[in-house]
Amino acid sequence: MIIKPKIRGFVCITSHPEGCAAHVQEQIDHVKSKGLIDGAKKVLIIGASQGYGLATRITAAFGSKASTIGVFFEREPNNGRTATSGFYNTIAFNKKAKEEGLYTANFNGDAFSDEIKQAVIAKIKEDLGQVDLIIYSLGSPRRVHPDTGAVHKSVIKPIGQSFTGKTVDTDKDIISEITIEAASDEEIADTVAVMGGEDWERWIKTLDDAGVIADGATSVAYDYIGPEVTWPIYTNGTIGSAKQDLRTTAKRIDALLKVTRGSAFISVNKALVTQSSSAIPVVPLYISILYKVMKENGTHEGCIEQIDRLFRTQLANGVAQDFDDDGRVRIDNLEMKPEVQAAVAAIWPDISTETLYEKSDMAGYKKEFLRLFGFGMKGVDYEADVNEALSLEE
Ligand code: NAD
């Protein structure tokens, strides 16, 4: 079939298998161009098919020649409906990894469930024995709790008082004021249940109990802080509460892994266009201004550049890790530079629908958004008939 983007609000409901493959290849090429990384060799990535998790998997495999196990939740193609892009990304990753003789195993299912955890453990025992790096990179709107069966839905809301601020409708190119009511206590608790640390800790404890974590292993989860304009809705809001919980959990996991000379930490990453971030009000407008500022000063990075840098500077054998006062790695350091933040803050009050394309990199934002679904990639013929009904063969 001929596949074109179909955008509905902040998602694209189609994706292009060849475009996704080109996107994965671009990331592989980036890592390879930087040379080998002396890093972990048996890596489990939870949330491995898109955004930061996919970049992590690519970096571990093509930078360190690691065996990788990926867990993700993606829709397969069905009756002329395309798969979600993470499914095609994984097929492309798998093919390239196999060509280089690299081990891969894939679990397409709910990472929050105990079944997936047990299936992953069985696979590790069967094929790898143990893992020495575990990355937690889930971005999910809901979680079915494995003990209670309760469905927790994460919301993006401020806490304590309502928030009014600028946001952009990326579909219609309109900047407007948005008011979001404060979250209820239940909504806060639900968001923490989905995006907080409980499931990360459950993974680590379950893996540890099964004896599949190697001595000296590391675990990392991804976090975001960002600028003050997004704090009411992010850092000081429901998602921020979940991230606070993740940080507290990191300390407990660190203590657990330290028993066998391992460690756990949080990496604070840069704001980037991903399927998760595009759903957050205010953030896409900030990202499009940030992209303009960072592209102009030559410090712009995407997921693969961020994670490649994380591995080379914080996760390679023998490197001294660099933590902030709260014990986190700050790979968002270029985004948070005072001059970058000052430049964004200077643009923020003036930006309007009329000046959107002049004062921000909304054009770049949109291009990047489409690339998440495999559209707009160089060298891909989007008029050609392609087979969407691919399967993930092992
Ligand atoms: P993403 O939307 O690009 O990817 C999310 C991944 O989670 C996908 O692989 C998806 O398949 C998987 N997933 C979702 N629900 C699942 C489930 N129930 N079971 C198994 N897999 C599931 O997300 P992202 O933006 O890369 O975010 C990953 C992490 O990085 C999050 O913790 C996020 O807060 C953090 N982070 C993101 C940004 C950003 O700007 N995008 C910045 C800093 C930190």
Side-chain angles (χ1 to χ4, degrees):
M1 67 195 269
I2 293 167
I3 308 169
K4 300 281 173 182
K6 277 191 197 154
I7 297 173
R8 302 279 180 272
F10 50 77
V11 289
C12 178
I13 58 169
T14 51
S15 57
H16 199 283
E18 289 179 11
C20 290
H23 197 203
V24 167
Q25 186 64 49
E26 224 180 67
Q27 297 184 62
I28 294 172
D29 292 345
H30 175 81
V31 175
K32 283 184 152 185
S33 76
K34 301 277 174 186
L36 286 175
I37 304 165
D38 179 19
K41 291 286 181 283
K42 296 172 182 181
V43 183
L44 168 63
I45 304 107
I46 302 154
S49 56
Q50 304 196 38
Y52 274 115
L54 173 66
T56 306
R57 190 174 199 186
I58 290 172
T59 305
F62 294 92
S64 302
K65 306 267 176 220
S67 300
T68 59
I69 297 183
V71 181
F72 47 87
F73 210 3
E74 301 291 344
R75 189 187 71 221
E76 297 192 12
N78 184 12
N79 265 336
R81 196 174 171 210
T82 69
T84 45
S85 56
F87 188 77
Y88 294 138
N89 289 340
T90 304
I91 289 176
F93 167 85
N94 229 25
K95 186 164 173 269
K96 289 291 161 182
K98 291 265 157 75
E99 278 172 19
E100 301 216 358
L102 297 170
Y103 171 95
T104 68
N106 298 294
F107 291 85
N108 189 10
D110 185 7
F112 295 124
S113 71
D114 286 340
E115 291 74 27
I116 282 274
K117 292 179 177 74
Q118 291 306 332
V120 167
I121 285 169
K123 192 74 179 160
I124 296 172
K125 282 186 174 166
E126 198 180 310
D127 293 346
L128 303 177
Q130 291 184 316
V131 287
D132 51 5
L133 178 62
I134 302 144
I135 302 286
Y136 192 80
S137 184
L138 285 188
S140 177
R142 70 197 281 279
R143 173 183 179 208
V144 179
H145 199 285
D147 293 332
T148 62
V151 180
H152 301 282
K153 290 188 180 149
S154 89
V155 298
I156 299 154
K157 289 190 174 184
I159 291 176
Q161 56 187 32
S162 68
F163 162 76
T164 300
K166 271 184 187 177
T167 195
V168 64
D169 179 331
T170 49
D171 207 11
K172 301 199 176 85
D173 289 346
I174 292 172
I175 292 188
S176 60
E177 289 253 302
I178 185 173
T179 297
I180 305 170
E181 294 309 319
S184 66
D185 289 348
E186 197 184 342
E187 286 174 320
I188 299 168
D190 275 336
T191 307
V192 172
V194 180
M195 290 298 286
E198 192 190 343
D199 182 60
W200 181 26
E201 192 168 17
R202 198 174 177 103
W203 266 101
I204 298 297
K205 282 187 170 163
T206 313
L207 294 165
D208 188 48
D209 288 347
V212 296
I213 301 184
D215 285 2
T218 308
S219 188
V220 184
Y222 296 146
D223 191 359
Y224 181 62
I225 296 176
E228 276 186 48
V229 285
T230 64
W231 283 6
I233 193 73
Y234 195 96
T235 294
N236 297 337
T238 46
I239 293 279
S241 288
K243 292 297 187 188
Q244 192 50 53
D245 184 66
L246 195 72
R247 289 167 205 155
T248 316
T249 308
K251 296 198 169 81
R252 285 200 301 275
I253 296 179
D254 187 49
L256 191 149
L257 294 181
K258 279 227 155 52
V259 173
T260 48
R261 298 185 316 281
S263 67
F265 64 85
I266 295 278
S267 172
V268 185
N269 300 349
K270 180 193 179 195
L272 283 172
V273 184
T274 67
Q275 290 196 44
S276 289
S277 69
S278 56
I280 305 176
V282 188
V283 167
L285 181 58
Y286 165 70
I287 290 180
S288 58
I289 300 174
L290 180 73
Y291 275 25
K292 182 178 172 67
V293 171
M294 294 186 80
K295 283 179 185 175
E296 279 174 6
N297 75 12
T299 57
H300 176 70
E301 293 174 311
C303 286
I304 197 67
E305 289 85 0
Q306 279 269 290
I307 298 300
D308 180 88
R309 188 153 68 83
L310 175 71
F311 269 62
R312 289 175 201 278
T313 61
Q314 312 292 330
L315 284 169
N317 290 329
V319 298
Q321 281 157 354
D322 185 14
F323 297 115
D324 71 5
D325 293 344
D326 292 318
R328 299 166 302 199
V329 159
R330 300 300 300 270
I331 214 79
D332 67 339
N333 55 340
L334 302 177
E335 169 185 0
M336 298 312 287
K337 278 194 164 181
E339 59 271 29
V340 170
Q341 287 302 317
V344 174
I347 293 171
W348 191 265
D350 291 341
I351 196 158
S352 63
T353 302
E354 291 68 38
T355 59
L356 180 59
Y357 279 80
E358 174 204 329
K359 291 188 183 287
S360 84
D361 184 28
M362 182 45 72
Y365 180 98
K366 288 195 163 185
K367 226 172 125 191
E368 203 53 50
F369 177 77
L370 283 172
R371 284 159 53 90
L372 296 177
F373 305 91
F375 296 108
M377 298 301 305
K378 270 196 206 117
V380 176
D381 180 359
Y382 290 99
E383 302 307 324
D385 207 354
V386 287
N387 178 17
E388 86 292 351
L390 303 181
S391 65
L392 186 53
E393 283 155 16
E394 292 299 327

